[in-house]
Amino acid sequence: MAKFGEGDKRWIVAERPDGTNVHNWHWAETNCLEWSRTFFNNSFTNVAVGDGDATVTIKKVEKLDGEAYVNVRKGKVIPGYEISVRLAWEGEARDADGKVLKRVDGAVEIPYISDENAGEDPEIRVSVKENGELGIKLMEVMLKKGKVVVLEKVRVWVESMAKGGPVKDELEAKKVAVPHKNNNNNNNNSSNGDNNVKKEEVKKNEGKKGFKVISLIEKFNCRARDLFEILMDENRWRGFTQSNARISKEVGGEFSIFDGSVTGKNLELDEGKLIVQGWRFGSWPDGIESMVRIVFEEPEDGVTVVKLTHSDVPEEDRYGNATVVENTERGWRDLIFQRIRTAFARKDYWIGNFL
């Protein structure tokens, strides 16, 4: 027992004289912005795309702004970034003899690359300074072939950030293989049987690790059947989310929302009372599907209480980003429920959809 005011040294993480963060117990944040600039400069300097009579070359990175960092604790990497990138490209149009007919300059804008959208390709904008026939032709080459190259290299950067960015090599070096302890080989058969049972139990429990449950309760000033309808009608979904949607209203039918980022199947439907669906985000590891259960209660006329349970949400996406649960919960609050409230507040929405 420690004396009053002294604390128990077994529970105090003391500062070491050598500054070593033992086992990465403390949060260690590394600024990755300059590393990212170097990464993009190396990736987009004099990169040729396109051939034949129309050639395009990505010349350089003109600008990279924003923030990028990785947090590491106990070997777990949590990247965070919001950056914008501007690339300069040059195109040449040649005749059959190889003579240069036109040379144009242009730009590639990537306005938003964020850890929140790590599983989705960012928006790419291509522009050209010369709007003539040959200029447009070269821009089309950049759109068709150059965009593929740009997205591929951005994906490599996203995956590198998920692995630790500039501290990846340091993390790999710190990994120490833990040798397996060999128990006394003279154990009797009954002991071995007990160990086998324990191993089976461990395997069963491991299946539950790495997943979370999101529970939300929201109140709306509307009828339950109207709220049910807005969630199950693809035209109304497009209206309040401003994104493409394809939604079946049948049990066993499939749906695709948020421009295909989320797909799934209807498992149970009870109009105005219950929606049960299997949900899967495109950025999740293969084979993982979550369960969404939405219960509608109408305690009084014109007032609906929604009880959402979103289970089996993975803690990490396929790129190693550990913000899946946080982003999914924020998506329900901000991109679905709040936008429904905003839509219900618009008179033109009611006239066009319900009246």
Side-chain angles (χ1 to χ4, degrees), residues 210-216 281 284 310-317 321-333:
F211 297 88
K212 297 291 184 181
V213 177
I214 297 171
S215 298
L216 298 175
F281 289 71
W284 289 0
H310 194 163
S311 56
D312 296 329
V313 179
E315 293 181 338
E316 294 185 352
D317 63 15
N321 295 305
T323 55
V324 174
V325 178
E326 175 188 349
N327 292 340
T328 303
E329 181 172 346
R330 184 165 58 241
W332 277 108
R333 291 187 185 278

Side-chain angles (χ1 to χ4, degrees), residues 154-216:
V154 169
R155 291 189 201 109
V156 172
W157 177 81
V158 169
E159 291 176 4
S160 297
M161 285 291 291
K163 294 177 181 178
V167 300
K168 175 179 177 293
D169 293 339
E170 179 183 347
L171 290 172
E172 291 295 330
K174 288 182 177 181
K175 287 183 178 178
V176 179
V178 179
H180 294 286
K181 294 182 180 180
N182 292 322
N183 293 327
N184 188 348
N185 292 328
N186 294 325
N187 290 339
N188 57 37
N189 291 335
S190 62
S191 297
N192 289 334
D194 290 341
N195 288 336
N196 290 335
V197 171
K198 291 179 180 178
K199 288 179 181 178
E200 290 179 4
E201 290 177 354
V202 168
K203 287 182 179 179
K204 290 179 181 178
N205 291 334
E206 283 177 352
K208 300 295 183 181
K209 292 181 180 179
F211 297 88
K212 297 291 184 181
V213 177
I214 297 171
S215 298
L216 298 175

Side-chain angles (χ1 to χ4, degrees), residues 97-114:
D97 297 325
K99 181 181 178 180
V100 177
L101 299 175
K102 190 75 175 179
R103 182 177 288 111
V104 300
D105 295 321
V108 176
E109 297 276 358
I110 315 175
Y112 190 66
I113 307 175
S114 169

Side-chain angles (χ1 to χ4, degrees), residues 41-79:
N41 282 329
N42 292 337
S43 300
F44 293 111
T45 298
N46 295 323
V47 179
V49 293
D51 50 22
D53 60 350
T55 60
V56 172
T57 302
I58 300 173
K59 302 297 291 183
K60 63 179 181 178
V61 177
E62 287 192 337
K63 184 176 66 171
L64 190 156
D65 292 328
E67 63 176 1
Y69 56 88
V70 291
N71 285 310
V72 181
R73 183 172 185 264
K74 300 186 76 174
K76 188 176 184 63
V77 178
I78 302 178

